[in-house]
Amino acid sequence: MNNIDKQYQTLLQDILDNGVEKKDRTGTGTISVFGRQIRHKMSEGFPLLTTKKMPWKSIVTELLWFLQGNTNIKWLVDNGCNIWNGDAYKNFENEFNKGNVAGIRLDDGTERVANIDEFIRRIKVDDEFAKEWGNLGKIYGFQWRNWGGWKDTKQTGFLHKTDNGWTVKWSDLHSFANGTEWLTTPIQDSDQSLYSDEDEGKKVYYKNITLGYNDSFCPVQVAKVIDDKFDKYVGGIDQIQNLINDLKTNPDSRRLMVNAWNVGELDQMVLPPCHYGFQIYTRELSPKERIELAFKSIESTDGNSAALLWELSCQGKKETEIMKTLNNSPRNIPTRAISLMWNQRSVDTFLGLPFNIASYGLLLEIIAKEVNMVPDELIGNLGDVHLYSNHTEQAKEQIGRKYTHEERTELLKQEMGEENYNKAVDELMPFGGGLSGEYEWYKIPHHSRKPFPLPRLKFSPCPITGIDMEYQSIAQFQIENYQSHPTIKAPLSN
């Protein structure tokens, strides 16, 4: 069953029929409705729309980026996800227009701003440039993993060997104030053996560690060389970790929420969050639901015969006795179902919403596996639900239309091949027969963009908290049996 595609197509038609024209920050213009909802039962399949082909890898990449707490497009770009490129570039372009960044010098001595392709190429190869201009501010990942945190800054220096051992050589206003171009900080004793003469002059990133204070109350510091090229934020509230802890200890809580709308920091984001928060709800599974889960678990691992034998063994037993068996089972059959509801103030319905539906569906699946619960319902509360004025024709295409007889005939020819089609006509038509059997056999649709059955998601358990988070593999999230209509391209408004 695929109700999510049908709901989405109905929503597109709703906007086309009832939307009012509105201006917007991008200057594109929209038609808009207000206050709509999407609901999906996860048991019906993974909510990846089939009425157009969806970019699954980009959906996974962005969500993992959020969960890492990352806010720099460098990681996205390196993994082939370009959905935030326009926002980063717009910020860079604005700073060029303010005179805060150098442009590309032309033959006549004037400068122009780098175009977006030049900008992204530099993000890929220039870490210092990416560190400054790839950063999008305190957007989703920051608020999810480090609400209220601050930047854990790193310094840049060069390895330099002295008579007393290895140091980091650095220069800033302090060195000039002391009448010298360079100052040095000794590398901590435990790391001295890591370097050889070949490392002299090598550029490194480091942090100062204060060991104490001297008689003049000045800090005594050593340098710790680190691998990270980009600043990270520390000291804030990890809402994801808190959510996982609460789900494990107090699953009936009404405070199972994660918020990205930090009013005090909206001006520190390239774009305020469109989907600004989500809430989790759990419930106890009924004995019948747990028995069905146990059957499916046995069937998937030991085969259908073993599952049927187990089902037969349960006959005649009381529910309490079966539940006791399940509770002691090494299969760890879940006891609760988990649902997720997200709230979204601004909904780019053609390009953004299909992405949001799949992304929150994936987040629900990841959280469910982390806390050993069964994904139940996915709900989206949608505020300003709009179509950009240059997306209306694409929306009509995705809604679809009824095929004419001639169009269905052409589809049948494509499926059968010209020769086989003509042979069937010659054999059946003289006797008054039609090709209805062939239309049914080759599943020729009556309607364009008719939804296909939903796919299934497959992935191994993986941490979404702690230091292992950033090493998750994008490829470990696999969509099975995904069948879709072709991609429908549309311009992105930034």
Side-chain angles (χ1 to χ4, degrees):
M1 186 181 296
N2 181 354
N3 286 318
I4 190 69
D5 266 292
K6 294 176 183 177
Q7 287 183 68
Y8 178 73
Q9 288 174 317
T10 300
L11 182 59
L12 290 177
Q13 191 65 59
D14 179 13
I15 300 170
L16 291 172
D17 292 342
N18 303 307
V20 296
E21 292 186 6
K22 292 190 71 174
K23 297 177 181 178
D24 71 288
R25 64 174 178 85
T26 71
T28 307
T30 68
I31 53 173
S32 167
V33 296
F34 185 65
R36 300 294 189 269
Q37 190 177 75
I38 290 277
R39 302 185 76 101
H40 173 67
K41 291 289 290 184
M42 297 296 287
S43 59
E44 295 176 359
F46 187 79
L48 190 65
L49 295 191
T50 68
T51 44
K52 68 179 176 187
K53 187 175 182 180
M54 294 295 297
W56 175 242
K57 183 185 175 186
S58 288
I59 292 167
V60 175
T61 303
E62 186 199 41
L63 180 60
L64 294 185
W65 183 66
F66 288 161
L67 289 171
Q68 291 171 14
N70 201 336
T71 60
N72 196 297
I73 67 167
K74 169 72 172 170
W75 191 82
L76 294 178
V77 170
D78 287 346
N79 285 284
C81 180
N82 298 301
I83 57 178
W84 284 91
N85 290 3
D87 296 287
Y89 177 71
K90 186 175 182 179
N91 180 56
F92 174 77
E93 189 176 34
N94 289 340
E95 292 302 312
F96 171 84
N97 293 333
K98 295 176 185 176
N100 296 334
V101 59
I104 296 174
R105 184 166 294 276
L106 303 177
D107 293 339
D108 62 3
T110 61
E111 289 187 347
R112 69 165 176 84
V113 65
N115 62 43
I116 190 168
D117 292 332
E118 294 166 334
F119 173 77
I120 295 302
R121 277 198 296 271
R122 195 165 175 194
I123 289 287
K124 290 179 178 179
V125 301
D126 187 337
D127 289 335
E128 287 298 324
F129 182 82
K131 178 180 175 181
E132 182 171 6
W133 298 109
N135 186 27
L136 301 175
K138 297 182 177 181
I139 62 167
Y140 300 98
F142 177 88
Q143 303 300 341
W144 285 12
R145 305 311 301 259
N146 203 36
W147 177 289
W150 57 88
K151 186 179 287 188
D152 183 22
T153 56
K154 295 175 281 293
Q155 297 166 277
T156 304
F158 301 89
L159 293 176
H160 176 58
K161 189 175 184 180
T162 68
D163 292 342
N164 296 320
W166 284 97
T167 66
V168 172
K169 183 172 68 171
W170 53 276
S171 175
D172 65 6
L173 292 176
H174 295 288
S175 60
F176 289 114
N178 282 279
T180 179
E181 186 177 353
W182 295 98
L183 292 176
T184 58
T185 302
I187 291 175
Q188 61 183 9
D189 290 344
S190 59
D191 292 345
Q192 286 285 334
S193 61
L194 298 177
Y195 308 106
S196 63
D197 291 342
E198 295 177 354
D199 293 314
E200 178 68 36
K202 180 182 177 182
K203 183 179 178 180
V204 293
Y205 298 90
Y206 72 99
K207 290 176 63 175
N208 285 323
I209 299 173
T210 300
L211 301 179
Y213 295 86
N214 61 21
D215 294 339
S216 301
F217 298 101
C218 294
V220 177
Q221 295 182 320
V222 293
K224 168 65 176 176
V225 176
I226 51 183
D227 293 332
D228 293 321
K229 297 182 177 70
F230 302 104
D231 293 334
K232 293 185 178 179
Y233 292 87
V234 297
I237 298 168
D238 188 341
Q239 296 186 80
I240 299 295
Q241 180 69 71
N242 289 349
L243 175 68
I244 298 302
N245 293 344
D246 289 344
L247 281 168
K248 291 178 177 179
T249 59
N250 189 15
D252 284 322
S253 171
R254 295 188 292 269
R255 303 175 183 179
L256 302 171
M257 299 178 67
V258 171
N259 197 352
W261 193 264
N262 189 333
V263 178
E265 295 180 343
L266 293 178
D267 62 346
Q268 299 174 49
M269 309 176 192
V270 296
L271 184 69
C274 295
H275 43 100
Y276 58 87
F278 64 90
Q279 182 176 355
I280 297 293
Y281 175 90
T282 78
R283 64 175 177 83
E284 288 188 355
L285 291 168
S286 67
K288 181 180 178 182
E289 288 175 314
R290 292 198 70 206
I291 291 169
E292 288 176 353
L293 281 176
F295 181 90
K296 290 178 181 177
S297 174
I298 296 170
E299 185 179 42
S300 64
T301 56
D302 300 340
N304 185 254
S305 298
L308 290 172
L309 286 173
W310 181 83
E311 189 177 39
L312 287 171
S313 71
C314 292
Q315 292 182 4
K317 292 182 179 179
K318 294 181 179 179
E319 275 189 356
T320 53
E321 189 178 351
I322 298 173
M323 289 302 102
K324 185 177 180 180
T325 301
L326 290 180
N327 291 337
N328 295 327
S329 169
R331 292 182 182 277
N332 201 17
I333 304 300
T335 61
R336 301 185 79 92
I338 181 171
S339 297
L340 183 151
M341 178 175 69
W342 87 90
N343 296 306
Q344 190 160 346
R345 64 172 180 87
S346 177
V347 186
D348 176 354
T349 309
F350 186 76
L351 287 180
L353 182 57
F355 211 97
N356 302 137
I357 292 170
S359 181
Y360 275 107
L362 178 57
L363 179 61
L364 174 55
E365 291 272 6
I366 292 173
I367 293 174
K369 190 157 286 192
E370 178 85 1
V371 297
N372 192 33
M373 296 183 188
V374 181
D376 195 6
E377 246 194 314
L378 178 68
I379 305 163
N381 291 324
L382 314 176
D384 185 322
V385 188
H386 53 266
L387 282 170
Y388 282 102
S389 58
N390 53 3
H391 290 173
T392 55
E393 292 305 312
Q394 291 92 331
K396 291 174 183 177
E397 183 179 351
Q398 189 163 355
I399 292 169
R401 59 180 177 79
K402 187 175 181 179
Y403 282 130
T404 65
H405 174 71
E406 291 74 17
E407 287 173 322
R408 293 192 75 223
T409 299
E410 190 59 35
L411 290 173
L412 181 60
K413 285 181 182 179
Q414 292 174 12
E415 289 294 324
M416 295 182 67
E418 190 79 24
E419 184 177 343
N420 288 334
Y421 174 80
N422 290 332
K423 183 178 179 181
V425 170
D426 292 340
E427 290 176 351
L428 295 173
M429 291 302 184
F431 303 100
L435 297 176
S436 58
E438 278 69 16
Y439 281 103
E440 185 174 344
W441 176 262
Y442 287 99
K443 297 180 179 178
I444 303 303
H446 290 272
H447 195 275
S448 68
R449 302 284 167 170
K450 181 181 178 181
F452 292 105
L454 290 175
R456 292 289 171 181
L457 174 67
K458 182 179 180 181
F459 69 101
S460 302
C462 54
I464 60 172
T465 59
I467 60 173
D468 293 333
M469 175 62 236
E470 62 184 282
Y471 301 111
Q472 280 193 5
S473 168
I474 296 166
Q476 76 187 64
F477 297 92
Q478 297 292 323
I479 284 291
E480 297 182 335
N481 303 320
Y482 181 52
Q483 185 180 6
S484 73
H485 292 275
T487 301
I488 305 174
K489 292 186 177 181
L492 179 65
S493 294
N494 291 118

